[in-house]
């Protein structure tokens, strides 16, 4: 099946938006399959910059875009993002945008709980975006969530709403927050429902038909594998599975749907929020990487922590997510560095490790083993072929391939859509 699944192979912010946008010219359908509006994807098209956080990146090209059942859905944010992107000249209709009926709703009470927990956690803060993502996934697993399909049946939500509020009001009491105003919540849902209802569909049927017609489906992940709730740096992770296998469950397609798995990898490493980061450079070098790479979160505006490329973590992410090829982004940020460092392993209590241990305390204590790499003075910015890259930059790419045991399929050399070197088309069947 000529499908492609795009995931982040670090801690997110690897430049997935541009790659998905670039690939969507070859796709018939683009599907978001996990996460919520805590994910930020920035697309630069000519002089126009689009910042998306819930809408699939394919919408900018007019490609059929689907929000799958694995996504937690804030209807108010959806309404506002559709209005904002439409005002930028993008046509958005139920013909090119569909929302799965089963998506759990993110409600104001989820945002309240998210913020209250972070404020009360002290040194144990996860560093969430405070947008209610985690609490919404908890309610899904607890079988008390309201779902997108409930927006069409607001007169019938009483029993489920009772179940939801019994849980949340008890928590709110513990945090000293007033109980949820039930009637106000229902009124707010009635107000926002008309903005969402036209887009609600059994999206699995559209995907079933697309599969039968052998259309090209592009699955768009959010965050990165190192934030996966099972395989990431727990508990400093997101609340969903980010690995490629989630594309099947989060879209309503079978396990053979993922096709070619493309892992997006930044030429260095960044992280937003709390948690271990072995190669972090909390110094002038990290500041230089951050300034050159404009490392601020698309959604929150938070400054990203920056460090050297960690081949151990990328190799691990590639293994647990079945990545077939990498898209290497932001290579141009490294232009002009005399020396680059690549992490090839860790030391922990006198032992050398070729993986990141599972326990948080061990993750915080590992010491990176670095390989020094000569940089390049020439510019890679805007390169669209191997011939335009400095020889030392090509050597850097080849060394990353060796250390991660994965080939590079694409190289991105600027935020611009066409500044991309294609090594292998992921859609080749």
């Amino acid at each position: 099946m000529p499908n492609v699944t795009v995931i982040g192979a670090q801690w997110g912010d690897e430049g997935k938006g541009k790659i998905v946008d670039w690939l969507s010219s070859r796709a018939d359908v683009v599907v978001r399959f996990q996460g919520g509006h805590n994910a930020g994807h920035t697309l630069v098209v000519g002089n126009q910059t689009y910042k998306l956080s819930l809408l699939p990146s394919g919408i900018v090209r007019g490609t059929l875009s689907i929000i799958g059942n694995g996504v937690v859905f804030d209807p108010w944010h959806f309404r506002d993002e559709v209005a904002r992107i439409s005002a930028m000249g993008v046509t958005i209709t139920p013909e090119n945008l569909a929302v799965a009926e089963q998506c759990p709703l993110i409600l104001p009470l989820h945002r309240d709980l998210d913020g209250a927990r972070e404020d009360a956690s002290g040194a144990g803060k996860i560093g969430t975006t405070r947008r209610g993502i985690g609490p919404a996934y908890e309610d899904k697993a607890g079988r008390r969530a309201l779902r997108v399909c409930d927006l069409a049946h607001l007169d019938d939500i009483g029993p489920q709403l009772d179940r939801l509020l019994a849980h949340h009001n008890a928590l709110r009491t513990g945090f000293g927050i007033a109980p949820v105003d039930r009637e106000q919540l229902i009124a707010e849902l009635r107000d926002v429902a008309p903005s969402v209802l036209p887009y609600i569909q059994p999206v699995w049927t559209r995907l079933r038909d697309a599969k039968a017609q052998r259309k090209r489906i592009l699955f768009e992940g959010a965050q990165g594998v190192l934030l996966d709730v099972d395989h990431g740096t727990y508990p400093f992770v997101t609340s969903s599975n980010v690995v490629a296998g989630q594309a099947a469950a989060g879209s309503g397609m079978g396990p053979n749907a993922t096709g070619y798995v493309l892992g997006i990898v930044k030429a260095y490493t960044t992280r937003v929020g709390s948690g271990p980061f072995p190669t972090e450079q909390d110094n002038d070098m990290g500041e230089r990487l951050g300034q050159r790479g404009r490392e601020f979160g698309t959604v929150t505006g938070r400054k990203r922590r920056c460090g050297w490329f960690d081949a151990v973590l990328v190799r691990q992410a590639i293994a647990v997510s079945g990545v077939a090829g990498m898209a290497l982004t932001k290579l141009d940020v490294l232009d002009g560095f005399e020396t680059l460092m690549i992490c090839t392993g860790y030391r922990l209590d006198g032992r050398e490790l070729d993986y990141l241990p599972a326990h948080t305390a061990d993750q915080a204590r590992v010491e990176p083993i670095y390989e020094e790499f000569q940089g390049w003075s020439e510019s890679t910015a805007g390169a669209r072929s191997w011939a335009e890259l400095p020889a030392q930059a090509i050597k850097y790419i080849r060394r990353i391939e060796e250390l991660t045991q994965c080939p590079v399929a694409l190289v991105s050399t600027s935020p611009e859509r066409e500044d991309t070197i294609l090594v292998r088309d992921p859609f080749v069947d």
Side-chain angles (χ1 to χ4, degrees):
M1 183 184 299
N3 295 345
V4 173
T5 299
V6 173
I7 60 163
Q10 292 160 311
W11 275 294
D13 308 310
E14 302 95 348
K16 292 183 293 297
K18 173 197 166 168
I19 301 299
V20 171
D21 171 61
W22 191 82
L23 287 171
S24 66
S25 66
R26 295 164 166 77
D28 301 300
V29 188
V30 179
V31 185
R32 273 284 308 273
F33 60 86
Q34 52 79 217
H37 65 303
N38 55 339
H41 291 171
T42 300
L43 314 182
V44 179
V45 184
N47 295 323
Q48 190 74 274
T49 298
Y50 302 91
K51 293 183 180 294
L52 307 176
S53 53
L54 182 57
L55 299 180
S57 297
I59 198 69
V60 172
R61 287 190 184 264
T63 305
L64 172 59
S65 298
I66 288 176
I67 296 176
N69 57 273
V71 174
V72 283
F73 184 87
D74 184 320
W76 296 276
H77 180 89
F78 174 82
R79 176 194 62 193
D80 295 345
E81 189 170 328
V82 167
R84 177 170 53 82
I85 300 301
S86 296
M88 297 176 74
V90 177
T91 300
I92 302 177
T93 72
E95 292 302 309
N96 66 2
L97 177 63
V99 179
E101 301 169 303
Q102 308 100 312
C103 289
L105 292 176
I106 299 175
L107 304 172
L109 54 84
H110 293 122
R111 296 194 295 271
D112 294 344
L113 181 58
D114 202 352
R117 282 176 172 165
E118 282 290 277
D119 291 340
S121 294
K125 283 184 180 178
I126 301 297
T128 77
T129 58
R130 297 172 177 257
R131 294 193 166 201
I133 309 300
Y137 272 118
E138 290 175 37
D139 285 342
K140 173 185 177 179
R143 297 167 293 179
R144 55 183 170 263
L146 295 182
R147 301 187 299 168
V148 164
C149 57
D150 289 314
L151 293 175
H153 300 274
L154 290 176
D155 290 335
D156 303 317
I157 65 170
Q160 189 69 3
L161 186 56
D162 289 341
R163 180 179 173 83
L164 179 68
L165 295 188
H167 177 79
H168 277 269
N169 282 335
L171 292 173
R172 292 168 76 93
T173 297
F175 282 110
I177 305 173
V180 175
D181 186 326
R182 178 192 178 98
E183 296 309 314
Q184 180 181 338
L185 175 58
I186 293 175
E188 290 174 347
L189 289 169
R190 290 192 190 281
D191 179 67
V192 78
S195 300
V196 180
L197 289 174
Y199 300 95
I200 299 175
Q201 301 174 31
V203 300
W204 67 270
T205 63
R206 296 192 75 169
L207 291 171
R208 175 200 62 194
D209 295 343
K211 178 181 178 180
Q213 296 164 18
R214 291 193 61 77
K215 290 189 174 180
R216 292 177 167 184
I217 302 172
L218 179 60
F219 295 97
E220 176 184 17
Q223 289 92 32
V225 172
L226 299 176
L227 293 175
D228 184 278
V229 70
D230 286 313
H231 298 286
T233 48
Y234 190 91
F236 303 99
V237 293
T238 194
S239 297
S240 61
N241 284 114
V242 179
V243 293
Q246 179 62 20
S251 66
M253 298 190 73
N256 65 342
T258 51
Y260 184 96
V261 179
L262 181 69
I264 314 301
V265 178
K266 196 176 287 186
Y268 48 102
T269 310
T270 63
R271 172 163 205 172
V272 172
S274 305
F277 185 170
T279 64
E280 181 175 12
Q281 298 298 298
D282 189 12
N283 51 32
D284 291 344
M285 191 61 71
E287 190 70 22
R288 182 180 177 188
L289 285 169
Q291 289 181 355
R292 295 207 57 183
R294 299 177 183 176
E295 296 296 352
F296 296 91
T298 300
V299 169
T300 63
R302 287 185 295 178
K303 185 177 180 181
R304 296 174 186 145
R305 301 155 63 190
C306 298
W308 296 120
F309 186 86
D310 191 330
V312 182
L313 290 181
V314 173
R315 185 170 61 239
Q316 191 164 325
I318 285 169
V320 301
S321 208
V323 172
M326 291 183 289
L328 191 69
T329 65
K330 290 201 166 185
L331 182 67
D332 54 302
V333 172
L334 300 182
D335 293 351
F337 281 78
E338 289 186 13
T339 302
L340 303 171
M341 307 295 281
I342 302 176
C343 175
T344 60
Y346 303 132
R347 288 191 184 90
L348 178 65
D349 298 331
R351 296 179 297 133
E352 290 194 8
L353 302 177
D354 63 355
Y355 64 92
L356 185 69
H359 198 276
T360 307
D362 291 339
Q363 292 175 352
R365 291 193 305 116
V366 295
E367 299 177 8
I369 300 170
Y370 284 117
E371 176 178 295
E372 188 173 301
F373 196 92
Q374 181 184 342
W376 54 90
S377 57
E378 307 95 320
S379 174
T380 65
R384 299 184 181 183
S385 70
W386 283 113
E388 297 176 64
L389 293 179
Q392 200 61 22
I394 294 175
K395 289 181 181 178
Y396 184 74
I397 295 170
R398 295 304 186 207
R399 185 58 179 149
I400 286 175
E401 289 180 316
E402 292 171 359
L403 291 170
T404 60
Q405 301 166 12
C406 185
V408 167
L410 297 164
V411 179
S412 171
T413 57
S414 93
E416 292 289 340
R417 176 184 276 172
E418 299 304 327
D419 289 344
T420 305
I421 301 171
L422 177 63
V423 181
R424 173 186 171 175
D425 188 342
F427 274 119
V428 172
D429 191 6

